[in-house]
Amino acid sequence: AQLLAQRPDVFAAQQEVAAASGDVGSAQAAKYPSLGLSGSVGLAALRSGGVNTNGTTWSIGPVAVTLSIFDGGQRNAVVDLASVNYEAAVSNYRAKVRGAVKEVEEALLSLQSAADRLVDAAVATEGYSAAFVASEARFKSGLGSLSDLEDTRRTALAAKTALLNLERERSAAWVALYRALGGGWSINGNEIMAKTL
């Protein structure tokens, strides 16, 4: 869960939820009366005929009270809109998390499948290589034909090619897992790749 929270899309959706929550709080606070007091504080200096006069000017202005008695339901509508936006942000966040979990699960399945098939392909490659060595020895001793030797060589090369393709597929699955976990972001200064490997 900590790794998924580091994904840029999940992190952005989480921030949208926090912002929408703040908007709801601001809209609800705007429904209540507010009191405002304005004023100014300044420093005034007067120079006349070589005589300096310094003084501090204080001014406290009018008091303003805002009441939401006759707004025609506008502030309630703003609260409702903010609540709807919050629910939409939460829904988007949940969708992003579900999508992230799906990507991670698919990458893990691909990685496991490639690793399982890689073991079998390595055993098959060793067997076909041994068969080629035996076919080559038969050919050199005059007991085998050239077509049998070339068929065995082709089969051994096909097995090696399949093994290399599976190794490439496994590497691609590691990259997909790294991307699905939001690769490049760090947790407590440690790279995510180091944690997954």
Side-chain angles (χ1 to χ4, degrees):
Q2 288 176 340
L3 293 176
L4 289 179
Q6 295 291 318
R7 280 176 54 121
D9 56 343
V10 173
F11 182 76
Q14 183 181 16
Q15 295 304 313
E16 288 175 11
V17 169
S21 176
D23 291 345
V24 170
S26 296
Q28 287 177 341
K31 287 174 52 177
Y32 300 108
S34 63
L35 175 66
L37 182 63
S38 63
S40 62
V41 176
L43 182 62
L46 180 62
R47 181 182 178 119
S48 175
V51 178
N52 289 337
T53 305
N54 292 330
T56 305
T57 305
W58 293 80
S59 170
I60 297 178
V63 175
V65 176
T66 305
L67 298 173
S68 60
I69 297 174
F70 302 112
D71 66 352
Q74 179 182 3
R75 292 184 182 161
N76 286 334
V78 170
V79 170
D80 292 343
L81 177 64
S83 296
V84 167
N85 288 340
Y86 173 76
E87 292 299 324
V90 168
S91 177
N92 181 44
Y93 174 72
R94 288 179 180 154
K96 293 287 184 186
V97 169
R98 280 192 297 270
V101 168
K102 177 184 174 191
E103 288 178 23
V104 169
E105 286 178 348
E106 287 174 352
L108 286 171
L109 285 173
S110 295
L111 186 61
Q112 184 63 42
S113 171
D116 291 344
R117 288 181 290 143
L118 196 60
V119 171
D120 295 337
V123 170
T125 301
E126 287 178 20
Y128 286 124
S129 295
F132 173 70
V133 169
S135 180
E136 189 175 33
R138 265 196 332 256
F139 177 73
K140 286 180 181 178
S141 66
L143 297 175
S145 68
L146 182 61
S147 66
D148 289 341
L149 176 66
E150 291 306 317
D151 283 343
T152 310
R153 182 191 318 262
R154 211 172 312 121
T155 305
L157 286 175
K160 286 181 184 178
T161 302
L163 181 65
L164 291 174
N165 286 336
L166 281 173
E167 287 175 354
R168 183 184 52 80
E169 185 179 327
R170 185 181 65 172
S171 296
W174 273 114
V175 170
L177 179 62
Y178 183 66
R179 271 188 68 218
L181 290 172
W185 288 64
S186 60
I187 298 174
N188 301 329
N190 298 325
E191 283 296 318
I192 290 175
M193 189 64 168
K195 290 209 174 256
T196 57
L197 292 176

